[in-house]
Amino acid sequence: MNGTPRLRSAYPSTPQARQRRHIQYDAATGSSSPKVPLPKESRSQPDALAPMIPFNLVDAPSQRFYVAFFYLALLIWRLCDYYGLVSDETDSFRLFMKWVVIDGVVLYGLPGLRIPWLQWSSTTMTMLFALHAITDYVLMFRVPIPLEAWLIAFTRLFYNRELAVSERRVKAANVLNNASLILGKQIIHILPEGSAMLNPNQTAFCLDSLTASVDLPIWINQTNPVLIELLRIDIDTNTNETLIIQTKEIQRLKKQADKQLSNRTPTSPRHLEYPVKRTGLYRLQKVLDESKLEVQRRLSDTLVVHCPSAHMRAVPQIKCIGDLSDFYIEVDATPPIQIKYSKIVNNEESGHAVLSIPPNNPVSPLVRQRTSGALVSHASPNEADVSWARSQSTTISVNESLAINGQWQYSIDEVQDGCGNVVDYSKRRLRNTYQRHASTELPLDQTFSVYERPRAALQDCDSQHALQVPKGRSIQLPLRISSTGSEKVAQGSHQISYLFTPNARILSNQEHAEDTALAHFTSESHGSNYKVHEPGLYTLQSIRSAFCAGEILEPSSCLLSNPPEPNVSIVTQSIPDRCAGNSIGLLVDLDLTGSPPFRLSYNIRRRGGPVTPKIAESDLLHTQLELRPTHSGHYTYEFLDISDSVYREPRSLRNQNLVLEQDVKPPASARFLDAYPSRKTCIGEPVALGVQLSGEPPWRLDYELIHHGRRQKHRIVGIESSVHTLATDELKTGGEYSLALSAVTDSSGCKVSLEQETKIEVALQRPKAAFGLVEGQRSILALEDRLVRLPLRLQGEPPWTVQYRNIDGTDGDITSGTFKNSNDAIDVGDAGTYELIHVNDGTCPGNVDAVANRFAVKWVPRPRAQVSESAVIEVVRGKHIKKEICEGDEDALEISLTGTAPFDVEYSHHIKPERGSQSSTTKKFTAGFNVASVRMESSEAGTHQYQISKVSDLSYNHNPRKFSPIGIEQRVHARPSAAFVESGKTYKYCKEEEAGGENVPIALKGQHPFHLEVEVRHHASSKTELVTIPNIESHKYKLHVPYRLLSLGAHTVQLRKVRDAHGCQRQMDQETPRVQVNVAEVPSISALESQTDYCIGDRISYMLSGSPPFNVFYTFNGQERKAAAPTTNFRRLAEKPGEFTINAVADQKSADCKAHTSITKVIHEMPSVRVSKGRTATVDIHEGGEAEIMFEFGGTPPFEFTYTRSSNPPKGKKPQILDTKSDISYEFSKTILASEEGMYEVVAIKDRFCSFSTQKVHGKAGRKLLT
C-alpha cells in the first residue's frame, strides 16, 4: 500500500504505528510528512498536538468511523423525536433546546479529540453549529420546506424528462425548442436593371406542311445576354429538354433585330426571333448577362402546336326533300376548337354557323382565363402534364333538314384552335396555292343535290266510282303525279308499281286476291302514258323517281268496267189543240239503254226552212220528249245518233230509220217552269217564278195572287221572250198564297185561259227550339242504362232538323235529328248536359231559346261501397290493408255507401291464425244510412280477411257486372311479454359511473323493436322511478339502470310494461319477479384549465378526488392507455398532436368501479413555415425588379407570421436587421414580392391555435393560442 503511487489530489496516507518514530503529524494542515531533524532544543517541548486517543490504541480511520457512527445515531434519535412530535404533539421548544445543546456539545467537543481530518477552524464550527440549529428549528417546530420540489429541481439539472401523453418520458426542452418549425431563408441581391421575356405579345404559333418553322420572339431590355436557355416540353411525350442559345447565335439574332432599330445602343430593347421547328411548350428558363448574372425573367409560356385543320368526309351527294344533311366535318386541332362553316342554297348564301368543341381534358388552362403567363406550374415544370395541348381529332356530325330542292353547298370557312391559331380556308380558295394543291388536299366543301319526292294518286276514279271503258278499247290510267313542296309535276320518269285483279277474282270485300302479283310501269313527268283495258281492280302501291322514293295518296284504287253500248227505242203520240182540234206537237217516249247521262242527237226540219239540229240529254233510262214547235208548219224529226257517259263517240241510229213527220200549228200558252205544285218561303221574302210562253210573241200575261180571300190581279204586257220570270212583292203576312196564271194572249190576239196555279206557303214565324220541363226543371235523374227522353218544344213547320251535343262528353260531336212533332223528344243513353245548337224546319232556319237550350241528365247512383280512407293504410292489388291491431283491441271498419238507402250488404270473414286451422264465415247486415260500421274481430291473433261481395239498395239489385268485390285485410298481433332471465339476482353498480355496472338480462317475446317500462325503487327512501327504454331491436336485452335513478344503497328493479313494434302492450302486475341493484361510491376527475385546445409542449393537468393512488384511463389518437397517478394531481406533456380524452378513473377504495367521463383536449401541431422550400436560396434581381418569396405553412389557417430583412454582411460579421414585417395568410402557401436587397427569414409563426418564435422573450420562446 505504501508503494502505491498517488495522485496530487489524493488524500495523504494514514500514518502506521511502526512508523510513528519517523513521521510527524501536522495538526495545522492535517497531513503528515517524514521526520526532519530539528534543533535539539525542540525536543524538550511537550507533545501538545498528539491525539487524545493514541493511534496505537485506535488508529485514525477507526476513530473517524466511530465518530460517524455516533453522529448517525444522533440523527436517528433526532428523527425519532420528530416523529413523536408529529404523532404525540409534544412540546416543540423543549425538544428544540435539547438538540441545540446536544449539537453544540458534539460539534464544539469534537476538535478536542484531535482526530485527523475532523479538526476544523472556529469559523467552520460556527457555520456547522448554525446549520444544525436551523435544522433543529425546522424539524421541532415542523416548518414546511419544499424538499421534494428542491430535489426535483436539482434532479432536473441532470435528468429533465417528463411523462408525455404517450406514457413515455421525453425531454421537454426538445419538444419546446423545435428548430425545424422555421426553415429556410432567401437572399436577394440587386443587379443592374435588365429583363427578358418570351413572346411578350402572346402570339399564337403553329406548324404544318406549309409552315416548317416559326420564329419565337424573345424580348430583352437593358441587358446584353450571353446565354439563353429555353425549356421545351414535348406535348406528345411530356418529356422536356433545354435549348441553349450560345453567344454566337445570340449575336446573330441581335444583328437581325438591330436592322429594325434606327437608334440602337448595346442595352436597347430588342426582339430576338429564334426559329423553332418542333412543337411543344416553350419557356424562358434562364438568361445570363455579360456579368454572368441571371437576368430577370417575366414568366410567359408559349405553345407551338400543330396548325388546326379541317376537312369534309365524303358522303353521298344525292338527297331528297326532308332528308337530313348528315355530313361530317373532321377537325384536328388543339382544343377548345371553333369551326366556322357557311351554307349556300341555290347560289344564295344562307348564313354561317360556328361550332365549339370543348377539350376532353377538363384541366386544360386554355379553357379558363389566364391570370399569368404560365401555362404549367412554374415550381415543377419537369413534372408538368401538357397532354391537354395535343391535337385532338374530332368528327362533327352536322344534321340539318333539307327542306328546299336544288343545290346545297356547305363550305368550311375557318378553324381556330385553343391557342388562337386561325386557318382561314375562305382566303385560301382565292390563292393559287390552294388551286395548285387542290388535288392533294382533303375536300373543304360538301355539295348536295336535293330532289323533290314524287306523289301519285288516281283522279276521277276511286272505290265508289268505277272507271268505265268501252268494250275493246283501252284507256290511260287516270294517274296524277305531283311532287312535294309544290303541285308541279316532278321532272323525269317515274317507276310505279300496282296490283291488278280481274273482276272474276275480286274478293267479296272488294279487295285483291292474296296471290295477286305486283306489276310495274314507267311514267313520264307530265302524267301517265300507261293504258289499261282489262276490267278489274287496279291499286297503286309505290312510286319512285330517278332519285327519291315517293308517296301514294288517295284515291289509290280504281275499278275498271265495260258497260253495254247505248241504244234507244221510241213511241210517239200526237198533241191536239183543245180549241181547233189541230195537232200542236208530238209526245215521244224514249226507252234508253246504256250508261246515263245520254245524248240523243236529232234534226228538226221545217218545210221550206233550215235543218235545226237538237240534242236531247237525259239522266234517266226512260224519258218523254215533247216536240211542240212554236211556229206552224210541216215538221220532220230525224233521230241521228246516241252516246252516253262511256261511249262518248256517237252511235248512229240511221239504220233504225227513226224519222217522224207532223203538221203543227201551236196556240198561245203559258206555264210555270217550276215542276213543283207549291213552294215554301219565309215571311218577309219575295217569290220569283219562271214562266214558259208559247205561241207568237209578243205576249200578254194575266195572273192573280190570292191570300186570305183577297185576290190581287196583275197583268204583264209586251213579253218578247218565251221564258219570263214572274216576281211578287215581299210577302209580309204569313199563311198560304195562291199564284194563278189566268190568261195569255199572243200576237194573234187569241186569248187563252190558263189553269196554271202554284201554292206559296209563307211561314207565320221563324222556327224555334227549346227543351221542355220535367217536373218543373230541365234536368232528370234516371236509372243507369235506361233510355231517357228529353222533351223538345218546337215551333215552325215540320219536319224540324235539330242539332245538339253533349257538352260533358269526351268527343263533343254534334248530333243531328229530324223531328216531326212539335212536342217530340230526344232519346239519349248517356249522362251529361245536352245543349241545343241549331234548328231548321222544312223551310226556314230558326233560333234556339238561350234560356232553355240545356238539359242535364244524371244517373241515379248505383249502390257502391267504399272503405273510408282514414282506416286504410295502403291498397295492394285491389285489397285494402287496414291498420294492424293487437289481440283483444276493439276496432271497426267504416264503410261509406253510395246509393238509395236502405242498403243490403253481404261480406265474408276468413281467419288465418298464427297457430291452428283456418276458418271462414259469411255475414249480412242492413244499413239505413250512407255510413255503416263493421266490427273487426280481434279475439284471435292472425290475419283476418274480409270481402264485401254484394251491395244492393232501394233502386238497384246487386249486379255482379257493375260491382267489384272489396277486399280488406287486417293483421291482429299477439301481445308481447317480458321477464328477467335471472329473477331475484343482485347486481352491483358504481355511483356516477356512466359506463360501468352490470347489465340485467331481459327476455322479450313479440315483434321488435320493443318499448319497455321498468320501475326502480330505493330501499332507504322507498322512492319509485320509472325508466322508459325505447327501440329494443332484439328479443334479448341487457338493461343498464340509469345512474340518475341510483343512489348509494340497495334498489329493487321490476318490469312494469312492455310494448312491441306493432304497438301492442302488456301491463305487468305487482307479483312479477324482480332483481336487486346495489350502488357504491366512485372517484372523480376534472380539468384544471377550461381550455380545450393545446399546443405541442403544453402541459395538460387534472385534479383527482378520491383515495389515491388512482388509475386514469384515457384515449390518445384512438389508442386506449392506462396511467397511474400516486397523488391527486395528474399531468402529462403534450408531445404529439392528436385528441386526448379522459375516459374513466378508478381509485384504490373502489377498484371495481370506474368513474366514466369524457374530457377531451385537442393537441394541435405547432405551426411551421418553409421559406424557399426550407433551403437558403439566393436570387439576383435587377434594380426595380421583384423576386418572389414563397412561404409554405403547416398547421391550421389562418397563419400570422413575422419575417425580417437583414443586411447581407461580409463573411465573419453578423447581419443587422433592417426591417421587420408581419403578414397573414389564409391558405397553406403565400408568395410575396420583394424588391429590396437583403436576407429574408421568418422569426415567428402563429396559426389558429399555436405560435412559435425564434426570438427569446424573457428567456423563453413565445407561444400562445389564437382565439
Side-chain angles (χ1 to χ4, degrees):
M1 291 292 295
N2 295 334
T4 301
R6 294 183 178 272
L7 298 174
R8 296 175 57 184
S9 59
Y11 286 104
S13 59
T14 303
Q16 302 296 325
R18 64 174 178 266
Q19 296 175 347
R20 284 196 295 269
R21 296 180 302 175
H22 307 290
I23 300 174
Q24 183 177 358
Y25 181 78
D26 189 354
T29 62
S31 62
S32 60
S33 60
K35 186 177 181 181
V36 181
L38 296 174
K40 295 180 180 180
E41 58 268 22
S42 62
R43 294 180 180 179
S44 61
Q45 295 179 358
D47 193 1
L49 298 179
M52 180 177 292
I53 301 173
F55 289 151
N56 56 356
L57 295 178
V58 180
D59 56 9
S62 298
Q63 292 184 29
R64 289 194 292 269
F65 174 74
Y66 296 144
V67 171
F69 182 78
F70 178 73
Y71 184 79
L72 181 60
L74 290 177
L75 181 59
I76 294 174
W77 185 16
R78 192 193 323 265
L79 294 177
C80 289
D81 285 347
Y82 172 72
Y83 180 75
L85 180 64
V86 173
S87 60
D88 300 337
E89 296 184 1
T90 55
D91 189 5
S92 299
F93 181 75
R94 182 182 61 81
L95 292 177
F96 169 68
M97 295 304 299
K98 165 188 171 182
W99 283 103
V100 169
V101 172
I102 294 175
D103 289 336
V105 171
V106 172
L107 291 177
Y108 284 102
L110 183 60
L113 298 177
R114 293 189 292 275
I115 301 174
W117 300 355
L118 297 179
Q119 297 180 21
W120 299 302
S121 63
S122 58
T123 303
T124 302
M125 296 303 298
T126 303
M127 292 178 61
L128 289 175
F129 176 73
L131 181 61
H132 282 73
I134 293 174
T135 302
D136 294 337
Y137 179 81
V138 170
L139 292 176
M140 300 308 142
F141 287 100
R142 292 179 294 179
V143 176
I145 296 178
L147 296 178
E148 181 181 359
W150 293 349
L151 181 60
I152 292 175
F154 180 76
T155 305
R156 285 182 177 176
L157 295 176
F158 307 98
Y159 186 79
N160 186 14
R161 293 184 180 270
E162 299 182 33
L163 276 174
V165 290
S166 59
E167 288 302 314
R168 66 185 185 94
R169 292 190 174 274
V170 297
K171 196 172 183 178
N174 294 339
V175 178
L176 293 173
N177 302 320
N178 188 357
S180 64
L181 296 177
I182 298 179
L183 294 176
K185 62 179 69 176
Q186 184 160 321
I187 301 174
I188 298 178
H189 292 294
I190 301 296
L191 300 178
E193 180 70 22
S195 61
M197 185 177 183
L198 177 65
N199 192 13
N201 296 327
Q202 296 293 320
T203 306
F205 297 98
C206 66
L207 298 174
D208 58 5
S209 58
L210 300 178
T211 307
S213 65
V214 294
D215 295 333
L216 296 183
I218 303 175
W219 178 77
I220 57 174
N221 182 31
Q222 295 294 324
T223 185
N224 190 13
V226 296
L227 177 69
I228 299 176
E229 289 185 2
L230 289 177
L231 175 66
R232 173 184 171 272
I233 303 176
D234 193 281
I235 61 178
D236 295 323
T237 63
N238 276 336
T239 58
N240 54 49
E241 64 173 336
T242 302
L243 305 178
I244 301 176
I245 308 176
Q246 300 292 346
T247 305
K248 184 177 180 181
E249 179 69 14
I250 294 174
Q251 294 299 328
R252 186 184 67 81
L253 297 177
K254 288 175 61 178
K255 289 181 181 180
Q256 294 178 356
D258 289 342
K259 295 179 181 179
Q260 302 176 1
L261 299 175
S262 56
N263 298 324
R264 61 179 182 273
T265 61
T267 58
S268 298
R270 294 178 175 85
H271 281 83
L272 308 182
E273 296 182 350
Y274 180 69
V276 295
K277 298 181 179 180
R278 290 183 293 174
T279 60
L281 185 143
Y282 290 85
R283 173 179 288 182
L284 192 60
Q285 182 169 269
K286 188 176 183 182
V287 178
L288 296 181
D289 58 10
E290 293 176 334
S291 59
K292 300 299 181 181
L293 296 177
E294 189 171 347
V295 178
Q296 179 183 1
R297 293 167 289 110
R298 298 184 182 178
L299 193 60
S300 177
D301 293 340
T302 299
L303 270 176
V304 179
V305 298
H306 295 286
C307 290
S309 63
H311 66 275
M312 296 286 188
R313 183 197 293 179
V315 296
Q317 298 182 356
I318 302 299
K319 297 286 184 178
C320 301
I321 286 183
D323 288 349
L324 297 178
S325 57
D326 195 20
F327 67 93
Y328 301 92
I329 302 176
E330 295 189 352
V331 187
D332 190 3
T334 299
I337 308 169
Q338 282 191 350
I339 183 168
K340 179 180 179 182
Y341 68 91
S342 59
K343 178 175 62 176
I344 298 176
V345 180
N346 294 330
N347 297 323
E348 293 184 3
E349 187 172 341
S350 185
H352 299 267
V354 178
L355 303 176
S356 298
I357 305 173
N360 295 330
N361 191 340
V363 299
S364 174
L366 300 178
V367 300
R368 57 179 183 267
Q369 186 177 2
R370 294 172 59 181
T371 58
S372 65
L375 293 174
V376 297
S377 174
H378 64 276
S380 55
N382 294 336
E383 302 176 359
D385 180 11
V386 294
S387 59
W388 46 265
R390 298 172 187 168
S391 292
Q392 174 180 316
S393 296
T394 306
T395 300
I396 307 171
S397 175
V398 180
N399 279 308
E400 183 177 345
S401 179
L402 305 176
I404 303 175
N405 66 315
Q407 294 296 318
W408 291 58
Q409 178 177 340
Y410 293 87
S411 302
I412 301 176
D413 296 335
E414 180 181 290
V415 60
Q416 179 178 347
D417 62 8
C419 302
N421 297 297
V422 179
V423 176
D424 192 344
Y425 292 108
S426 61
K427 294 182 179 179
R428 284 194 178 186
R429 293 187 179 93
L430 303 177
R431 298 205 304 261
N432 293 331
T433 55
Y434 176 79
Q435 299 177 355
R436 186 168 59 252
H437 298 286
S439 60
T440 60
E441 289 189 359
L442 295 173
L444 299 175
D445 301 321
Q446 177 65 56
T447 303
F448 295 111
S449 295
V450 181
Y451 296 93
E452 293 186 349
R453 295 182 183 273
R455 290 179 175 176
L458 297 175
Q459 58 183 359
D460 301 330
C461 182
D462 54 27
S463 60
Q464 303 298 326
H465 302 86
L467 184 64
Q468 297 180 341
V469 181
K471 295 180 181 179
R473 294 187 182 182
S474 62
I475 188 173
Q476 288 187 352
L477 192 66
L479 181 67
R480 179 170 56 90
I481 300 176
S482 60
S483 61
T484 56
S486 66
E487 293 299 327
K488 296 181 180 179
V489 178
Q491 299 296 323
S493 60
H494 300 86
Q495 298 293 328
I496 300 173
S497 61
Y498 69 95
L499 294 175
F500 169 70
T501 301
N503 284 334
R505 299 188 61 198
I506 296 177
L507 301 179
S508 59
N509 59 354
Q510 297 301 307
E511 295 291 336
H512 292 277
E514 294 183 357
D515 57 348
T516 301
L518 195 66
H520 307 273
F521 68 91
T522 301
S523 176
E524 299 299 329
S525 61
H526 60 271
S528 173
N529 54 2
Y530 183 69
K531 294 185 177 182
V532 294
H533 65 280
E534 186 175 357
L537 180 63
Y538 295 82
T539 301
L540 300 179
Q541 293 296 310
S542 65
I543 182 172
R544 182 178 182 83
S545 67
F547 307 102
C548 302
E551 180 182 4
I552 298 298
L553 303 179
E554 293 296 334
S556 61
S557 296
C558 180
L559 183 66
L560 188 145
S561 64
N562 298 136
E565 296 180 350
N567 200 357
V568 64
S569 61
I570 60 177
V571 176
T572 62
Q573 181 180 357
S574 177
I575 303 175
D577 186 0
R578 293 181 181 180
C579 295
N582 297 325
S583 178
I584 60 175
L586 287 176
L587 288 177
V588 182
D589 291 331
L590 301 177
D591 292 325
L592 302 169
T593 303
S595 301
F598 299 94
R599 289 173 57 90
L600 180 62
S601 300
Y602 63 94
N603 291 336
I604 300 177
R605 185 175 59 187
R606 183 181 178 189
R607 181 179 295 175
V611 176
T612 303
K614 293 288 185 178
I615 295 176
E617 295 183 353
S618 174
D619 293 331
L620 304 175
L621 296 176
H622 177 81
T623 186
Q624 191 176 60
L625 178 65
E626 183 178 340
L627 302 175
R628 183 178 289 185
T630 57
H631 300 282
S632 60
H634 181 81
Y635 289 87
T636 302
Y637 306 95
E638 183 181 5
F639 294 92
L640 304 176
D641 54 54
I642 187 172
S643 65
D644 60 7
S645 60
V646 177
Y647 297 87
R648 296 184 181 277
E649 294 183 4
R651 180 174 175 271
S652 177
L653 299 176
R654 295 182 184 274
N655 57 351
Q656 298 184 20
N657 194 23
L658 300 178
V659 178
L660 302 176
E661 294 184 1
Q662 185 184 30
D663 292 326
V664 177
K665 187 177 182 181
S669 65
R671 63 182 181 86
F672 289 111
L673 291 178
D674 193 350
Y676 296 100
S678 65
R679 67 168 57 218
K680 295 181 180 181
T681 186
C682 299
I683 189 170
E685 295 181 357
V687 177
L689 298 173
V691 178
Q692 176 70 48
L693 302 171
S694 61
E696 298 293 332
W699 290 277
R700 183 182 66 201
L701 181 63
D702 295 321
Y703 69 94
E704 297 177 349
L705 183 63
I706 306 166
H707 176 60
H708 290 172
R710 296 178 60 187
R711 187 182 299 269
Q712 296 179 3
K713 296 184 177 182
H714 301 274
R715 173 175 289 180
I716 304 174
V717 298
I719 301 174
E720 297 291 339
S721 175
S722 60
V723 177
H724 179 73
T725 300
L726 190 154
T728 68
D729 297 332
E730 291 183 357
L731 305 180
K732 298 182 179 180
T733 303
E736 184 182 70
Y737 289 80
S738 295
L739 182 62
L741 300 179
S742 57
V744 61
T745 304
D746 60 0
S747 60
S748 63
C750 181
K751 183 177 180 180
V752 179
S753 297
L754 301 175
E755 294 181 356
Q756 289 283 328
E757 183 177 349
T758 184
K759 298 292 184 181
I760 302 175
E761 296 289 339
V762 180
L764 297 177
Q765 62 181 8
R766 290 187 179 274
K768 186 176 182 181
F771 278 118
L773 298 176
V774 176
E775 296 181 359
Q777 56 185 2
R778 290 182 179 88
S779 64
I780 189 170
L781 189 65
L783 295 180
E784 187 177 356
D785 295 335
R786 302 286 180 88
L787 197 63
V788 179
R789 294 180 61 84
L790 306 184
L792 287 176
R793 299 296 179 261
L794 303 173
Q795 298 178 6
E797 291 295 328
W800 291 271
T801 300
V802 179
Q803 293 181 345
Y804 62 93
R805 65 176 178 176
N806 186 351
I807 62 176
D808 295 333
T810 57
D811 50 6
D813 293 341
I814 296 177
T815 305
S816 295
T818 302
F819 304 93
K820 298 179 180 180
N821 190 344
S822 60
N823 294 311
D824 215 328
I826 299 175
D827 294 330
V828 296
D830 296 326
T833 301
Y834 289 85
E835 181 183 26
L836 298 178
I837 304 299
H838 187 68
V839 62
N840 282 338
D841 64 359
T843 305
C844 303
N847 301 318
V848 174
D849 190 347
V851 178
N853 66 334
R854 291 190 179 186
F855 201 101
V857 177
K858 298 180 181 179
W859 299 139
V860 174
R862 281 189 172 274
R864 186 165 59 94
Q866 184 178 5
V867 178
S868 177
E869 294 184 358
S870 61
V872 177
I873 296 178
E874 58 181 343
V875 179
V876 179
R877 298 178 181 176
K879 181 179 292 184
H880 298 76
I881 307 301
K882 201 172 184 300
K883 183 179 180 181
E884 300 173 347
I885 61 175
C886 302
E887 184 179 3
D889 288 353
E890 290 293 332
D891 193 13
L893 176 66
E894 184 175 315
I895 301 175
S896 298
L897 298 171
T898 303
T900 306
F903 302 91
D904 293 326
V905 181
E906 180 178 321
Y907 69 94
S908 61
H909 176 208
H910 182 76
I911 304 176
K912 295 180 181 178
E914 294 181 351
R915 297 180 181 85
S917 60
Q918 303 181 11
S919 62
S920 299
T921 58
T922 302
K923 300 180 180 180
K924 299 180 180 180
F925 68 90
T926 300
F929 300 97
N930 291 335
V931 177
S933 181
V934 178
R935 180 179 177 273
M936 311 298 285
E937 294 292 338
S938 62
S939 59
E940 185 177 2
T943 301
H944 294 251
Q945 295 177 345
Y946 304 84
Q947 186 176 37
I948 301 176
S949 55
K950 295 181 180 180
V951 176
S952 60
D953 65 353
L954 187 63
S955 301
Y956 298 94
N957 293 325
H958 175 71
N959 188 347
R961 293 179 299 174
K962 296 292 185 176
F963 179 78
S964 298
I966 301 174
I968 303 99
E969 183 175 302
Q970 185 178 46
R971 177 71 177 175
V972 178
H973 298 285
R975 295 187 181 274
S977 63
F980 291 111
V981 176
E982 298 177 282
S983 299
K985 184 179 178 180
T986 300
Y987 296 88
K988 295 181 180 180
Y989 275 69
C990 301
K991 179 64 176 176
E992 298 178 358
E993 184 179 5
E994 294 298 332
E998 298 182 78
N999 292 326
V1000 181
I1002 301 174
L1004 300 108
K1005 293 182 180 180
Q1007 179 63 40
H1008 60 77
F1010 297 95
H1011 185 95
L1012 187 62
E1013 190 174 294
V1014 181
E1015 178 184 285
V1016 180
R1017 182 172 59 86
H1018 195 282
H1019 285 188
S1021 61
S1022 298
K1023 182 180 179 182
T1024 300
E1025 296 283 354
L1026 290 179
V1027 179
T1028 300
I1029 307 171
N1031 299 325
I1032 300 176
E1033 297 292 341
S1034 65
H1035 292 86
K1036 293 183 179 180
Y1037 179 71
K1038 294 183 179 180
L1039 172 64
H1040 188 83
V1041 182
Y1043 285 96
R1044 59 183 176 81
L1045 306 179
L1046 300 177
S1047 58
L1048 294 176
H1051 301 74
T1052 298
V1053 179
Q1054 184 178 3
L1055 300 178
R1056 301 301 299 165
K1057 186 188 298 183
V1058 62
R1059 185 172 70 247
D1060 63 1
H1062 302 303
C1064 302
Q1065 68 179 17
R1066 185 183 296 275
Q1067 189 80 25
M1068 312 295 183
D1069 53 23
Q1070 295 294 332
E1071 301 301 326
T1072 304
R1074 59 196 69 185
V1075 295
Q1076 303 294 325
V1077 173
N1078 289 333
V1079 181
E1081 186 64 52
V1082 294
S1084 64
I1085 185 171
S1086 60
L1088 291 180
E1089 300 93 357
S1090 60
Q1091 67 187 67
T1092 303
D1093 298 297
Y1094 289 81
C1095 303
I1096 291 180
D1098 290 344
R1099 292 171 177 83
I1100 307 175
S1101 301
Y1102 299 89
M1103 176 64 70
L1104 302 168
S1105 64
S1107 301
F1110 299 91
N1111 287 327
V1112 180
F1113 301 88
Y1114 66 91
T1115 302
F1116 179 65
N1117 281 344
Q1119 183 176 0
E1120 295 184 354
R1121 301 176 185 271
K1122 176 182 177 182
T1127 64
T1128 57
N1129 291 325
F1130 178 71
R1131 186 175 74 170
R1132 287 295 182 266
L1133 178 67
E1135 64 158 329
K1136 295 180 180 179
E1139 190 172 275
F1140 183 80
T1141 302
I1142 300 294
N1143 298 324
V1145 61
D1147 62 359
Q1148 183 181 19
K1149 186 175 180 181
S1150 56
D1152 295 335
C1153 294
K1154 294 181 182 178
H1156 289 270
T1157 184
S1158 180
I1159 305 175
T1160 301
K1161 306 293 184 180
V1162 180
I1163 303 173
H1164 298 278
E1165 181 72 69
M1166 294 296 292
S1168 62
V1169 61
R1170 302 289 186 272
V1171 182
S1172 300
K1173 300 294 182 180
R1175 301 186 299 269
T1176 299
T1178 302
V1179 179
D1180 297 328
I1181 64 174
H1182 292 278
E1183 186 69 31
E1186 292 179 333
E1188 291 185 348
I1189 303 177
M1190 176 178 284
F1191 300 90
E1192 297 174 312
F1193 305 100
T1196 304
F1199 301 96
E1200 296 182 20
F1201 61 99
T1202 301
Y1203 63 94
T1204 62
R1205 181 176 66 88
S1206 305
S1207 61
N1208 297 327
K1211 292 184 179 180
K1213 292 187 179 181
K1214 296 180 65 175
Q1216 295 183 354
I1217 296 178
L1218 303 177
D1219 192 8
T1220 301
K1221 294 183 179 180
S1222 296
D1223 204 342
I1224 188 169
S1225 173
Y1226 295 94
E1227 304 294 336
F1228 287 94
S1229 64
K1230 183 168 187 175
T1231 301
I1232 65 172
L1233 299 177
S1235 59
E1236 295 180 310
E1237 187 175 43
M1239 179 172 60
Y1240 293 81
E1241 57 183 334
V1242 177
V1243 296
I1245 176 67
K1246 179 169 63 173
D1247 68 354
R1248 179 179 177 83
F1249 300 102
C1250 306
S1251 64
F1252 179 79
S1253 174
T1254 58
Q1255 296 175 337
K1256 301 297 180 180
V1257 181
H1258 302 294
K1260 296 182 180 180
R1263 52 195 294 113
K1264 65 178 181 179
L1265 291 176
L1266 289 178
T1267 58

